[in-house]
Amino acid sequence: MAALYHPFACREKVLLKRSTVTTIYKPLMKLISCDARHLPAIMAIFNEAILHSTALWDDTTRSLETVSAWFEAKAKDGFPVVVIENDARELMGFATYGVFRNKPGYKYTVEHSIYVDARFRGKGIGTHLMQELIRLAQAQQFHTLVGAIDTTNEASMALHRRLGFEYCGTIKQAGFKFGRWLDMAFYQLLLPTPTAPVSR
């Protein structure tokens, strides 16, 4: 897959003395394809989510070896892993998609995941990552993007709604973590691709 490079700056207005308003720029952020140097930071984000949230329903942290194998499998299957890093080359978040169900009839549907470093949440990182996944999914001729979201994750559900995803339903008590049952909501975005779908 061709490398991505999309630099962008986040604008914000800051109120100064005497009600003077000026516009400043936060540090430049780059949206790029993941490579091996990002894997330790991805491992840290995975493990923070495992230990402290219900974004991931795992209960065992991941080693660098495990994350490396995950990344290699994504590359082998042709699925993207995209990251955003700042001008200090800190990884701010990452996103990917992969097989929804391992049957031929599901070949045009993928399930996506987005993770943002806790230090950089609330800065629009998830939106930029999701928009890039939508662009890549169309480029790869997929038809449906599916997000499976813990129902307590209001921020993620709101992000999906803003980007045009439709709520499809909730599986109640689909998981168990931190001593409680968890419900999973499904959100779906239909894409105009593929241009010529086939049964095989």
Side-chain angles (χ1 to χ4, degrees):
M1 178 173 296
L4 306 168
Y5 181 84
H6 299 312
F8 53 90
C10 293
R11 275 186 159 181
E12 67 172 9
K13 289 186 176 180
V14 178
L15 188 63
L16 301 178
K17 292 180 180 180
R18 297 183 181 179
S19 299
T20 301
V21 177
T22 188
T23 300
I24 66 170
Y25 286 86
K26 292 181 179 179
L28 189 71
M29 296 181 285
K30 295 178 294 184
L31 178 61
I32 60 177
S33 292
C34 178
D35 60 42
R37 70 183 170 87
H38 296 116
L39 298 184
I42 287 175
M43 179 187 69
I45 293 172
F46 269 140
N47 289 340
E48 189 275 337
I50 290 168
L51 292 172
H52 303 294
S53 81
T54 53
L56 262 175
W57 291 4
D58 291 346
D59 55 13
T60 303
T61 56
R62 301 184 183 183
S63 66
L64 188 56
E65 181 180 9
T66 300
V67 174
S68 296
W70 165 86
F71 179 59
E72 289 170 7
K74 290 286 184 182
K76 180 181 177 182
D77 293 337
F79 293 126
V81 180
V82 295
V83 306
I84 287 180
E85 60 179 27
N86 59 21
D87 55 357
R89 303 189 80 185
E90 295 176 297
L91 190 141
M92 307 173 80
F94 69 96
T96 187
Y97 54 69
V99 173
F100 175 65
R101 295 289 185 274
N102 194 22
K103 296 287 189 298
Y106 296 105
K107 60 181 172 290
Y108 294 120
T109 299
V110 287
E111 184 174 348
H112 62 271
S113 301
I114 298 173
Y115 299 94
V116 178
D117 187 302
R119 297 171 297 166
F120 303 114
R121 290 172 190 158
K123 301 179 184 299
I125 304 299
T127 298
H128 288 296
L129 288 167
M130 189 70 252
Q131 289 171 332
E132 182 63 8
L133 288 187
I134 293 169
R135 186 189 73 80
L136 290 170
Q138 290 188 70
Q140 291 190 303
Q141 296 291 295
F142 290 113
H143 184 60
T144 307
L145 276 167
V146 174
I149 308 168
D150 173 58
T151 55
T152 64
N153 193 343
E154 295 288 349
S156 181
M157 291 188 291
L159 182 152
H160 283 74
R161 290 191 295 268
R162 285 197 306 271
L163 293 178
F165 282 77
E166 180 182 357
Y167 169 69
C168 296
T170 294
I171 300 177
K172 295 185 178 298
Q173 299 185 8
F176 191 82
K177 186 177 180 181
F178 299 145
R180 66 180 189 273
W181 291 107
L182 305 174
D183 299 341
M184 177 169 286
F186 284 88
Y187 284 79
Q188 173 188 38
L189 181 68
L190 293 179
L191 306 174
T193 47
T195 53
V198 295
S199 295
R200 293 192 178 188

